[in-house]
Amino acid sequence: MIKEKRKIMGYTQEKMASLLNISLRQYIRIDQENCLPRTDILNKLIDVLQLSDQELGEYIKVIIKKKVS
């Protein structure tokens, strides 16, 4: 979901990492929905990608489901 939204907004992974002030490796983990970012990074991600509450909820559900599986 994050990856698709990033592509719609026209950002590369490198650009997103720069905008969020994190490493490319860390952003790739977020993009692949392998981790839930810290609150400060999550807030920036919401702002940059203009995520709705529903999109944010879906993103969190996917990550939790992966962790449980």
Side-chain angles (χ1 to χ4, degrees):
M1 197 271 321
I2 294 295
K3 183 178 189 176
E4 291 80 14
K5 187 77 174 193
R6 171 182 59 80
K7 287 183 176 185
I8 288 169
M9 300 290 286
Y11 294 127
T12 64
Q13 289 179 327
E14 292 84 1
K15 179 66 175 177
M16 285 298 298
S18 176
L19 289 170
L20 299 174
N21 198 28
I22 58 176
S23 70
L24 176 58
R25 182 177 179 159
Q26 186 177 3
Y27 181 74
I28 289 171
R29 293 183 68 218
I30 293 169
D31 208 45
Q32 294 174 344
E33 299 173 342
N34 290 331
C35 71
L36 186 61
R38 294 186 328 249
T39 304
D40 60 326
I41 295 171
L42 188 58
N43 286 331
K44 288 180 190 176
L45 189 65
I46 291 166
D47 289 341
V48 171
L49 294 181
Q50 301 170 1
L51 297 176
S52 68
D53 291 343
Q54 182 179 355
E55 290 170 322
L56 179 60
E58 290 173 21
Y59 172 65
I60 292 170
K61 283 181 188 177
V62 167
I63 293 171
I64 291 171
K65 189 174 182 179
K66 282 185 176 184
K67 296 281 184 187
V68 172
S69 298

